[in-house]
Amino acid sequence: MRNILAVVLLISVWTLTAQERQSATQIHPGQVWNDANGHPINAHGGGILFHGGIYYWYGTHKIEGLSEKTFADGGIHCYASTDLLSWTDQGMVLSIEKDDQRSDLAFGCNFDRPKVVYNAKTKKFVAFFKLYLTGKGSETGYVGVALSDSPSGPFSYSHKFLGADSPNGSGDYAMFQEENGDLYHLTVRKPDKAFVVGKMRKDYLLPEKAYELCQGVTAKTEAPAIVKRNGVYHLVASGSTGWDPNPARYFTSKSLTGPWTFQGNPCEGVNPDNGLGKEKTYGGQSTFILPVAGRREAYIVLFDINKPENPYDSRSIWLPVTIKENKFLISWMDGWDMSFFGE
Ligand code: DGJ
């Protein structure tokens, strides 16, 4: 049954992709990005899972008309694509609870930066998200966990964990999955803002043991996005200035615990819409690095332009990586497509 559903989804994504190809031929960083139905994609602080030939984009759904102060987070919104240009709406795959104030996902919680990973052993899709409980402020940072049997959901909320051996837990984070399936949680620990890594259990539901310091990653590093290339981890991240943009920071290491080497700011160029360049990461903050399936040396860095007064209108910046002397360089482009990586 699940196989039939996957085939139906694949066919529908292909069909819509063909229609959409007429209009969406390029990625336009910082512009409104409509889904295949013509509605703005609503997936913020997100990440991408490639599964069964389909890319799934999961992000926080921001409720129209609300600000970050009045709690705009609505849960996880998912979109699917085969070409990374045209996205079909898969709907809300996990929603915050409007009516149950006792729930961990009660309206008013901060529900940020969802990332979904597939566990080949348990055959579960595991969604993680940064969770600040309703009414508790940002001092206690949990990692929420939800599970599904299908990449397009629905996900059921399972539990939360603190995510670092400190009383107050985890802030911005990344999940990194090794080729052998081992999963790591890298996070800015609260409240001291040291950057740490913990290995997850085989079922991915909880950390397996104590977290270790990522030696060489500056304290107060937020918005981590990580990928591994030829045995070297590349970490693109930001400083810690709330919703405001700051200069991106870039580190490399042969081990998750370090020593990490600071490689400076990987960005160059200017976003003509707001006049912001590398000193403010084009007005954005990193969230994910996507290796493009089936292409060598093809990585896309995803950023969000945060708009705390009107997060519904927050925009995505997707930019391709150029590799120079084994280092990542991210250059602003007004519009680009996959031919950037070669035909
Ligand atoms: C910085 C984080 O990177 C964002 O995702 C968001 O949580 C803001 N802080 C909130 O101030």
Side-chain angles (χ1 to χ4, degrees), residues 132 141-143 162-163 168-173 185 187-190:
Y132 296 162
Y142 289 101
V143 182
L162 276 175
N168 292 326
S170 167
D172 283 8
Y173 74 97
H185 172 223
T187 186
V188 55
R189 184 171 65 192
K190 289 192 160 230

Side-chain angles (χ1 to χ4, degrees), residues 199-217:
K199 188 174 182 190
M200 301 298 287
R201 288 184 342 197
K202 295 269 179 245
D203 61 10
Y204 294 176
L205 300 184
L206 288 169
E208 171 181 277
K209 53 179 186 174
Y211 282 63
E212 288 179 68
L213 202 60
C214 295
Q215 301 277 353
V217 177

Side-chain angles (χ1 to χ4, degrees), residues 112-113 130 172 222-223 242-243 285:
D112 240 353
R113 299 184 170 269
K130 181 174 152 187
D172 283 8
E222 294 193 342
W243 293 108
Q285 216 184 357

Side-chain angles (χ1 to χ4, degrees), residues 5-278:
L5 282 177
V7 170
V8 170
L9 178 61
L10 196 58
I11 290 168
S12 70
V13 170
W14 265 328
T15 313
L16 285 160
T17 299
Q19 289 166 4
E20 186 66 2
R21 243 178 226 134
Q22 293 159 9
S23 52
T25 53
Q26 283 203 316
I27 290 173
H28 294 284
Q31 302 299 315
V32 173
W33 194 344
N34 284 336
D35 68 15
N37 292 324
H39 302 126
I41 291 174
N42 192 340
H44 308 278
I48 310 263
L49 172 72
F50 183 68
H51 188 85
I54 298 176
Y55 295 95
Y56 296 88
W57 179 358
Y58 306 90
T60 300
H61 175 94
K62 298 288 183 179
I63 302 168
E64 199 171 359
L66 297 182
S67 71
E68 295 298 354
K69 280 204 181 100
T70 54
F71 308 112
D73 295 341
I76 303 179
H77 204 141
C78 173
Y79 297 83
S81 174
T82 53
D83 63 4
L84 295 171
L85 277 172
S86 171
W87 293 90
T88 58
D89 191 358
Q90 305 298 303
M92 294 298 295
V93 295
L94 179 68
S95 294
I96 60 135
E97 304 274 356
K98 279 254 180 234
D99 301 321
D100 182 359
Q101 278 304 301
R102 290 163 311 170
S103 162
D104 283 353
L105 305 188
F107 176 76
C109 66
N110 280 102
F111 186 115
D112 240 353
R113 299 184 170 269
K115 305 286 176 284
V116 175
V117 183
Y118 179 59
N119 187 318
K121 285 204 173 67
T122 61
K123 305 211 175 335
K124 293 282 181 199
F125 295 84
V126 188
F128 299 92
F129 45 92
K130 181 174 152 187
L131 178 63
Y132 296 162
L133 299 179
T134 304
K136 300 278 186 211
S138 60
E139 281 313 303
T140 306
Y142 289 101
V143 182
V145 183
L147 301 170
S148 177
D149 293 326
S150 154
S152 50
F155 284 80
S156 303
Y157 178 65
S158 170
H159 62 279
K160 60 186 184 303
F161 64 91
L162 276 175
D165 15 303
S166 106
N168 292 326
S170 167
D172 283 8
Y173 74 97
M175 305 305 302
F176 182 76
Q177 191 178 40
E178 295 284 6
E179 273 179 11
N180 68 4
D182 287 352
L183 187 69
Y184 292 86
H185 172 223
L186 297 102
T187 186
V188 55
R189 184 171 65 192
K190 289 192 160 230
D192 66 347
K193 296 210 171 178
F195 199 79
V196 296
V197 57
K199 188 174 182 190
M200 301 298 287
R201 288 184 342 197
K202 295 269 179 245
D203 61 10
Y204 294 176
L205 300 184
L206 288 169
E208 171 181 277
K209 53 179 186 174
Y211 282 63
E212 288 179 68
L213 202 60
C214 295
Q215 301 277 353
V217 177
T218 328
K220 300 188 181 169
T221 287
E222 294 193 342
I226 184 168
V227 80
K228 191 179 187 179
R229 170 186 177 264
N230 299 341
V232 175
Y233 300 94
H234 296 254
L235 175 70
V236 175
S238 76
S240 177
T241 51
W243 293 108
D244 296 334
N246 55 55
R249 34 180 95 166
Y250 168 42
F251 305 85
T252 56
S253 173
K254 289 190 174 150
S255 154
L256 289 173
T257 50
W260 288 85
T261 306
F262 179 55
Q263 303 285 7
N265 185 334
C267 299
E268 63 170 32
V270 173
N271 174 354
D273 254 11
N274 53 20
L276 299 177
K278 65 187 293 182

